[in-house]
């Protein structure tokens, strides 16, 4: 299976039905993308495929053939850098386990909408569970990143 | 938390080693440990073999189990506790940095190896472990002394080198100075290690603290925002096999027979073995293991010992038990007589469901054969227990079990398992395949939600009354719920005369001055495995007490804050919190039409937290708008981490108040994943404000105390807005008619 991963061409030898999540973690060895539910219910596995956030636990490896996949390890650019900086400035993380997915969803949101309202944040981020309940800081960090992108 | 008495300590040690026996504490061993507890930790360290010590000479030395200084002047604090999100790596490093006068940018943290002699939790006795919100509290003196000793040895080395009196040397932001001499920690580290260990360590006066009490950035923010932080799920070892276990539907069932053929057909599946927990499928990757487990459709279970009761039957039984006298957990005055003479009385009941912890990182660990023993890679919360249990399974000594502690993706109590359950499962799998490959045992979310070790189901029955002049006339409370301490190494200090303190804490020891009090406990036996869940007994007792206090205040026609203040006359910490809270939450004002405000105050883990919740009722729907908390947790080591723990605790408590619930039907768990075991999400998170009461006392717990006040404050707010009283959890807001 051929696709672009964090900007480089990759060929991954694995069953095309294997979820992208497990292909990334177990075959490619990129473990920043996390497993939380395996059922599109928590967002821990969020990656970008052709720029849009998707749940990699519900995306077959064959679905990304020829496409561009960005994982937490490949976050960059104007929006990605602003989001990560805001996360660090506000010390959003607690256990940190959900945060790769949170950051991927937040980058997705801010790439589409540079000035999200609280309601926009609720809509974009409700699929990302944080059992440590860092939600207040995630919200603040998204606003912080937005203000730095203006 | 309970401080261990020597007799309990010995009994705990005995219970710790199922087989082969953990060496009984020799007199010498005990003295070493005692010396460590009394603060002469450097001496204990010199005698005790440990990785930290062994590594010291090559590794930029300081002869100290907690502090290492590298030639580049970075100071690494060895963290004996698990960081599961509570920020303890940052907090403990701050304590050392403060006493050393280090610069925050030079501080690092690393998880300590498993070693119950060097790294035991001073409040747990001979056990290395994290829990009870004790990490900072039990490390406070120990790490101040470790930092202070390191500082004194650096100063002594500089004095010798520069030929100046020690008291002419100052340290600021990691630089030593005297006259025209300056040096960094790294330049002096080797000389400092040769200095005698100070017999007396001079600690700073808290008023001179420069780092403690300020907002220092977390040490883990960078690695947790770029995918670099390594959790157990991320461990990859050469030849490693991933294992998932097909588990029975009912607790207590065991494997009778199975046919592995179909599973073995799945490409990537390497082996299928029976273990006590079920049937394990081992494969080259997680996906293959999961598919192999899917294909295992022919497992037959022996359910002769399984739990068959459902939630409804259990609740019925609990209600009947609550009508009978239980074991005495607290008794003062004459509660029945007081209630009989009361002007107004209430009789209420509260039911609490089983709760899963559902840490974000599904449970997992890696175990492999190394040297003459095994190495476990895990977010270890109970190193000593995991060593003892694994040693028993593998037939080796506990010290042959090495543990690499990693970041844990949440825990909320789940990883501090007195049976070391998932570590034991991994060990049984490794044994079943003769140790031929490293094994990565992975639980899916479904395994986790259905897998037990829940906060027990509880039922409380309350009778209470107020006198005509608004005093509490009497209070009777019967509590029914499983004990998860009986039969564990911790029984000796948690269970007294049949009463498990963790079932009644927060009620039997209520901070309110109630003259006629009776608290009784029933601990029924159910085969559903149970465990502490963030804030333990306080998850239910605080709710019952704080709702009942609110009901009594209203029955007496009194303001809930004034009513509480009167019952807390000789409790300055509680009244301090209550007064700050009332001010910050505008208690004196009315929240307005369609809105409600409720309060709760509770002490847990030696920390007092007050919570005020503001809600609105919009189209018959309850919306939680804002939560204001006031906290007295002693000296605030890092106020921002404290705020984060309270914010998170509020979210966690709110999830339990609104959604969380594990139910059983004929013994089968009815929930499976986050669609049925509902986590709190972004759109439900209220604004949380945290105010810290200034204090000069030693720090107390913070990981858990934010949780208990949330549900009662919400119940009280809903009553304030609507006149309807919701008691049992989770609240059924969908049935709610405004
Ligand atoms: S693991 Fe994919 S959404 Fe939870
Ligand atoms: S930070 Fe722990 S789950 Fe989000």
């Amino acid at each position: 299976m051929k696709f672009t991963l964090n900007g480089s061409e990759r060929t991954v030898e694995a069953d095309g039905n294997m979820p992208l999540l497990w292909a990334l973690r177990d075959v490619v060895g990129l473990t920043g993308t996390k497993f939380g539910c395996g059922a599109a219910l928590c967002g821990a596995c969020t990656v970008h495929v052709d720029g849009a956030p998707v749940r990699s636990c519900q995306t077959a490896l064959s679905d990304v053939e020829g496409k561009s996949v960005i994982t937490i390890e490949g976050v960059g650019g104007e929006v990605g850098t602003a989001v990560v900086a805001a996360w660090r400035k506000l010390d959003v993380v607690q256990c940190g386990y959900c945060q790769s997915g949170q950051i991927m969803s937040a980058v997705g949101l801010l790439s589409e909408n540079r000035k999200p309202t609280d309601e926009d944040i609720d809509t974009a981020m409700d699929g990302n569970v944080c059992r440590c309940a860092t939600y207040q800081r995630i919200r603040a960090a998204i606003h912080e990143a937005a203000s730095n992108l203006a | 938390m309970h401080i261990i008495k020597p007799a309990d300590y010995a009994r705990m040690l005995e219970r710790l080693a199922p087989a082969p026996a953990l060496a009984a504490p020799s007199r010498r061993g005990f003295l070493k440990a005692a010396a460590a507890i009394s603060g002469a930790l450097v001496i204990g360290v010199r005698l005790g073999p440990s990785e930290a010590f062994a590594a010291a000479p090559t590794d930029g030395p300081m002869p100290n189990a907690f502090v290492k200084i590298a030639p580049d002047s970075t100071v690494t604090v060895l963290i004996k506790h698990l960081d599961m999100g509570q920020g303890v790596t940052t907090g403990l490093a701050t304590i050392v940095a403060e006493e050393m006068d280090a610069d925050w940018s030079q501080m690092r943290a690393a998880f300590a190896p498993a070693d119950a002699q060097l790294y035991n939790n001073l409040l747990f006795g001979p056990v290395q472990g994290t829990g009870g919100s004790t990490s900072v509290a039990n490390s406070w003196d120990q790490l101040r002394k470790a930092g202070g000793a390191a500082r004194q040895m650096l100063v002594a080395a500089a004095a010798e080198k520069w030929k100046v009196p020690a008291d002419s040397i100052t340290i600021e932001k990691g630089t030593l100075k005297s006259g025209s001499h300056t040096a960094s920690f790294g330049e002096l580290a080797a000389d400092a290690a040769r200095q005698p260990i100070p017999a007396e360590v001079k600690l700073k006066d808290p008023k001179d603290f420069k780092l403690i009490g300020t907002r220092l950035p977390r040490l883990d923010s960078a690695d947790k925002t770029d995918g670099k932080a390594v959790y157990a799920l991320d461990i990859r070892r050469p030849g490693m096999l991933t294992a998932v276990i097909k588990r029975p539907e009912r607790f207590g069932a065991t494997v009778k027979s199975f046919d592995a053929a179909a599973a073995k057909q799945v490409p990537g599946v390497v082996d299928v073995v029976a273990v006590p927990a079920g049937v394990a499928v081992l494969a080259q990757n997680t996906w293959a293991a999961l598919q192999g487990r899917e294909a295992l459709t022919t497992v037959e279970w022996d359910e002769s010992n399984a739990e068959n009761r459902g939630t409804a039957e259990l609740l019925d039984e609990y209600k009947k038990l609550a009508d009978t006298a239980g074991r005495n957990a607290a008794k003062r005055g004459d509660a029945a007589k007081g209630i009989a003479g009361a002007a107004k009385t209430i009789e209420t009941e509260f039911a609490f469901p089983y709760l899963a912890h559902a840490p974000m990182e599904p449970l997992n660990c890696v175990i492999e054969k190394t040297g003459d023993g095994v190495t476990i890679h895990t977010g270890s919360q109970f190193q000593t227990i995991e060593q003892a249990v694994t040693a028993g399974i593998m037939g080796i000594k506990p010290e042959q079990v090495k543990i690499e502690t990693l970041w844990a993706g949440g825990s909320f109590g789940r990883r501090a398992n007195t049976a070391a359950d998932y570590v034991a499962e991994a060990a049984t799998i490794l044994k079943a395949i003769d140790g031929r490959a490293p094994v990565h045992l992975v639980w899916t979310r479904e395994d986790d939600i259905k897998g037990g070790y829940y906060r027990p189901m509880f039922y409380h029955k309350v009778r209470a009354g107020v006198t005509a002049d608004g005093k509490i006339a009497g209070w009777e409370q019967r509590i029914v719920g499983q004990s998860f301490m009986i039969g564990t190494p911790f029984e000796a200090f948690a269970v007294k005369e049949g009463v498990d303190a963790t079932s009644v804490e927060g009620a039997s020891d209520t901070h309110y001055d109630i003259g006629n009090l009776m608290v009784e406990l029933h601990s029924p036996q159910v085969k559903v495995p149970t465990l502490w869940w963030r804030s333990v007994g306080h998850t239910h007792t605080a709710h019952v007490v704080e709702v009942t206090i609110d009901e009594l205040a209203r029955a007496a026609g009194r303001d809930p804050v004034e009513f509480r203040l009167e019952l807390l006359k000789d409790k300055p910490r509680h009244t301090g919190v209550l007064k700050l809270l009332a001010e910050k939450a505008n208690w004196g004002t009315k929240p307005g039409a369609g809105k409600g405000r409720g309060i709760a105050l509770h002490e847990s883990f030696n920390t007092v937290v007050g919570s005020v919740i503001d809600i609105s009722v919009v189209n018959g729907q309850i919306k939680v708008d804002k939560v204001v908390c006031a906290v007295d947790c002693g000296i605030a080591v890092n106020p921002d981490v404290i705020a984060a723990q309270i914010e998170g605790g509020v979210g966690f408590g709110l999830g339990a108040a609104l959604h969380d619930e594990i139910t059983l039907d004929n013994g089968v768990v009815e929930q499976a994943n986050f669609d049925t075991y509902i986590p709190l999400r972004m759109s439900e998170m209220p604004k949380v404000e945290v105010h810290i009461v200034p204090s000069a006392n030693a720090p107390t717990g913070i990981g858990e105390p934010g949780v208990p006040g949330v549900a009662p404050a919400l119940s009280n707010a809903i009553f304030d807005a609507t006149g309807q009283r919701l008691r049992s959890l989770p609240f059924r807001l969908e049935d709610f008619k405004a």
Side-chain angles (χ1 to χ4, degrees):
Chain A
M1 222 62 63
K2 269 198 178 144
F3 59 99
T4 309
L5 179 57
N6 295 331
S8 323
E9 285 290 318
R10 285 301 282 249
T11 306
V12 175
E13 300 297 339
D15 179 350
N17 291 321
M18 184 186 283
L20 178 60
L21 169 67
W22 299 118
L24 289 170
R25 292 184 52 84
D26 292 357
V27 184
V28 179
L30 281 186
T31 56
T33 303
K34 300 304 189 202
F35 163 57
C37 71
L41 298 167
C42 79
C45 65
T46 306
V47 299
H48 292 183
V49 175
D50 285 350
V54 304
R55 308 295 186 224
S56 65
C57 69
Q58 296 300 306
T59 305
L61 182 57
S62 58
D63 289 346
V64 300
E65 183 146 39
K67 298 196 172 146
S68 163
V69 175
I70 304 282
T71 68
I72 184 72
E73 290 91 347
V75 165
E78 197 194 0
V79 175
T81 307
V83 166
V84 170
W87 245 248
R88 291 178 182 176
K89 180 173 171 202
L90 300 186
D91 273 341
V92 169
V93 305
Q94 288 189 27
C95 84
Y97 192 81
C98 72
Q99 300 293 349
S100 300
Q102 304 282 2
I103 288 170
M104 297 313 288
S105 291
V107 171
L109 167 64
L110 286 166
S111 303
E112 290 282 301
N113 177 352
R114 291 281 171 122
K115 276 277 166 273
T117 63
D118 278 342
E119 289 69 42
D120 296 337
I121 293 174
D122 285 349
T123 309
M125 304 301 293
D126 240 20
N128 286 82
V129 173
C130 176
R131 287 291 287 161
C132 301
T134 62
Y135 299 120
Q136 166 155 304
R137 290 183 190 223
I138 292 173
R139 185 186 302 282
I142 292 173
H143 286 309
E144 164 82 17
S147 72
N148 291 332
L149 284 168
Chain B
M1 272 313 276
H2 322 256
I3 304 282
I4 316 284
K5 296 193 201 76
D8 290 345
Y9 194 97
R11 281 165 67 200
M12 283 175 72
L13 270 178
E14 276 162 32
R15 298 298 293 270
L16 270 176
L22 186 78
S26 63
R27 176 97 189 116
R28 198 174 142 72
F30 181 76
L31 282 177
K32 268 192 272 169
I37 290 168
S38 68
L41 63 116
V42 184
I43 307 232
V45 168
R46 284 254 159 143
L47 293 176
S50 90
E51 223 175 63
F53 179 64
T58 51
D59 199 354
M62 281 307 294
N64 187 306
F66 294 99
V67 185
K68 286 196 216 175
I69 302 175
D72 67 357
S73 286
T74 52
V75 177
T76 301
V77 179
L78 276 282
I79 306 294
K80 66 180 185 176
H81 289 290
L82 176 65
D83 200 325
M84 46 204 146
Q86 81 280 37
V88 70
T89 41
T90 300
L92 298 185
T94 304
I95 298 170
V96 171
E98 180 69 65
E99 291 293 342
M100 289 183 77
D101 283 312
D103 189 69
W104 186 241
S105 64
Q106 74 192 113
M107 298 307 292
R108 306 284 182 273
F111 293 114
D115 185 330
Q117 293 248 333
L118 284 181
Y119 297 121
N120 65 319
N121 184 321
L122 303 183
L123 298 175
F124 287 4
V127 175
Q128 184 179 356
T130 305
S133 295
T134 57
S135 299
V136 168
N138 97 94
S139 301
W140 176 247
D141 282 336
Q142 191 173 45
L143 289 185
R144 286 184 76 195
K145 284 172 183 158
R151 180 189 204 281
Q152 269 167 252
M153 292 160 83
L154 285 164
V155 167
E160 208 175 272
K161 188 169 174 189
W162 298 336
K163 302 193 172 42
V164 301
D167 60 11
S168 74
I169 298 171
T170 58
I171 309 185
E172 217 173 309
K173 295 197 166 189
T175 302
L176 291 94
K177 275 197 191 119
S178 176
S180 57
H181 302 288
T182 67
S184 67
F185 288 0
E187 288 167 292
L188 290 167
D191 290 341
R194 285 191 283 273
Q195 295 295 322
I197 293 149
E200 285 264 311
V201 180
K202 198 172 162 298
L203 299 180
K204 275 188 178 175
D205 186 327
K207 74 171 173 11
D208 299 326
F209 285 161
K210 294 193 184 89
L211 300 176
I212 287 173
T214 66
R215 182 195 185 282
L216 298 172
R218 286 179 73 117
L219 293 176
D220 52 353
S221 265
D223 279 1
K224 288 178 176 178
T225 46
D226 60 11
K228 285 207 189 78
V230 175
Y231 302 82
L233 202 76
D234 306 329
I235 293 293
R236 300 290 178 264
R237 306 292 300 155
M240 183 178 92
L241 298 175
T242 302
V244 294
I245 297 178
K246 171 114 179 159
R247 299 160 193 281
E249 267 195 314
R250 292 188 171 82
F251 297 108
T254 52
V255 179
K256 198 192 276 172
S257 66
F258 68 100
D259 177 359
K264 283 189 170 164
Q265 299 275 298
V266 173
V269 170
V270 172
D271 210 344
V272 179
V273 294
V275 289
V279 181
V281 178
L282 294 112
Q284 277 155 355
N285 59 62
T286 320
W287 174 237
L290 290 171
Q291 284 189 304
R293 181 167 77 167
E294 278 300 87
L296 250 192
T297 49
T298 50
V299 184
E300 263 196 79
W301 303 97
D302 174 356
E303 295 199 327
S304 53
N305 253 323
E307 181 59 65
N308 286 309
R309 285 172 290 180
T311 302
E313 290 98 312
L314 289 173
L315 191 59
D316 260 9
E317 288 175 31
Y318 287 16
K319 285 184 177 179
K320 287 196 190 104
L321 273 175
D323 285 332
T324 65
R327 286 189 191 261
N328 172 24
K331 194 164 173 57
R332 306 199 271 272
D334 188 334
K337 196 167 151 207
I339 296 165
K344 281 186 184 153
T345 58
I346 56 168
E347 275 195 54
T348 52
E349 53 172 4
F350 297 77
F352 299 87
Y354 286 114
L355 293 176
H357 308 72
M360 205 66 221
E361 177 193 12
L363 301 173
N364 74 98
C365 66
V366 173
I367 184 168
E368 60 181 329
K369 284 209 143 179
T370 48
D372 66 346
V374 298
T375 299
I376 302 168
H377 308 257
T378 183
S380 184
Q381 195 170 349
F382 256 5
Q383 286 89 343
T384 307
I385 311 264
E386 288 169 0
Q387 282 181 301
V389 169
T390 305
I393 292 165
M394 304 305 295
I396 55 179
K397 295 200 202 75
E399 53 271 28
Q400 291 171 288
V401 179
K402 277 185 54 177
I403 297 182
E404 297 281 345
T405 298
L406 301 156
W407 297 113
S411 170
F412 317 116
R414 180 62 182 85
R415 296 169 190 274
N417 190 302
T418 47
D421 68 321
Y422 59 96
V423 171
E425 287 178 3
T428 58
I429 298 170
L430 183 71
K431 198 171 174 184
I433 63 161
D434 294 324
R436 69 175 194 267
V439 171
H440 192 175
L441 170 70
V442 175
W443 286 41
T444 59
R445 180 60 60 197
E446 290 81 2
D447 292 336
D448 172 52
I449 301 290
K450 290 186 176 296
Y453 292 105
Y454 305 129
R455 194 285 305 273
M457 225 178 113
F458 272 93
Y459 176 77
H460 290 233
K461 191 168 174 157
V462 176
R463 279 197 333 129
V466 284
T467 59
D469 59 348
K471 304 247 175 342
I472 295 184
W475 178 302
E476 277 181 7
Q477 183 172 359
R478 286 223 181 95
I479 303 176
V480 185
Q482 285 166 259
S483 164
F484 46 75
M485 284 297 206
I486 293 173
T488 75
F490 293 89
E491 177 175 340
F493 79 106
V495 183
K496 297 278 181 304
E497 284 162 27
V499 175
D500 178 346
T502 68
S503 299
V504 296
E505 59 183 0
S508 60
D509 55 353
T510 177
H511 39 261
Y512 294 116
D513 177 19
I514 301 170
N516 297 317
L517 176 73
M518 182 204 93
V519 179
E520 290 185 345
L521 175 68
H522 289 279
S523 305
Q525 303 245 347
V526 186
K527 284 178 194 149
V528 178
T530 57
L531 195 61
W532 31 51
W533 189 94
R534 196 175 186 179
S535 82
V536 198
H538 304 279
T539 56
H540 50 102
T541 57
H543 182 64
V544 175
V545 170
E546 285 303 296
V547 168
T548 304
I549 288 283
D550 201 74
E551 296 197 61
L552 291 176
R554 287 172 198 276
R558 303 288 305 280
D559 172 77
V561 169
E562 277 167 28
F563 189 71
R564 283 176 172 80
L565 283 173
E566 222 160 84
L567 293 166
L568 295 165
K569 283 209 179 96
D570 56 347
K571 297 273 192 309
R573 289 180 76 208
H574 298 77
T575 50
V577 168
L578 205 45
K579 285 177 181 163
L580 179 67
L581 177 65
E583 176 203 321
K584 297 292 182 189
N586 298 317
W587 184 259
T589 66
K590 281 270 156 229
K595 293 185 186 295
R597 182 171 291 157
I599 190 166
L601 177 81
H602 194 71
E603 177 183 337
S604 57
F605 312 97
N606 300 319
T607 289
V608 182
V609 176
S611 324
V612 164
I613 297 192
D614 278 10
I615 61 157
S616 348
V617 186
V618 187
N619 303 328
Q621 298 282 311
I622 303 288
K623 185 168 180 305
V624 181
D625 296 322
K626 186 172 169 189
V627 183
V628 181
C629 292
V631 185
D632 182 338
C633 56
I635 290 170
V637 173
N638 186 325
D640 193 55
V641 172
I642 289 167
Q645 282 308 293
I646 297 291
E647 292 161 18
V650 166
F652 201 73
L654 207 51
L658 299 176
H659 305 302
D660 296 356
E661 176 172 39
I662 293 287
T663 54
L664 304 162
D665 182 22
N666 288 316
V668 178
V669 175
E670 295 181 293
Q671 292 72 25
N673 204 321
F674 288 136
D675 49 349
T676 40
Y677 191 74
I678 314 278
L680 192 86
R681 290 179 186 269
M682 172 67 86
S683 56
E684 296 175 309
M685 185 73 192
K687 187 168 159 19
V688 181
E689 232 178 75
V690 181
H691 302 277
I692 300 172
V693 178
S695 170
N697 298 322
T700 53
I702 201 61
E704 297 168 271
V707 177
V710 178
L714 180 55
S715 169
N716 297 342
I718 293 171
F719 185 86
D720 185 51
T722 68
Q724 292 184 51
R725 179 58 74 179
L726 302 184
R727 295 191 188 87
S728 292
L729 296 183
F731 300 139
R732 313 270 172 207
L733 294 191
E734 62 281 11
D735 304 339
F736 183 83
K737 297 278 170 284

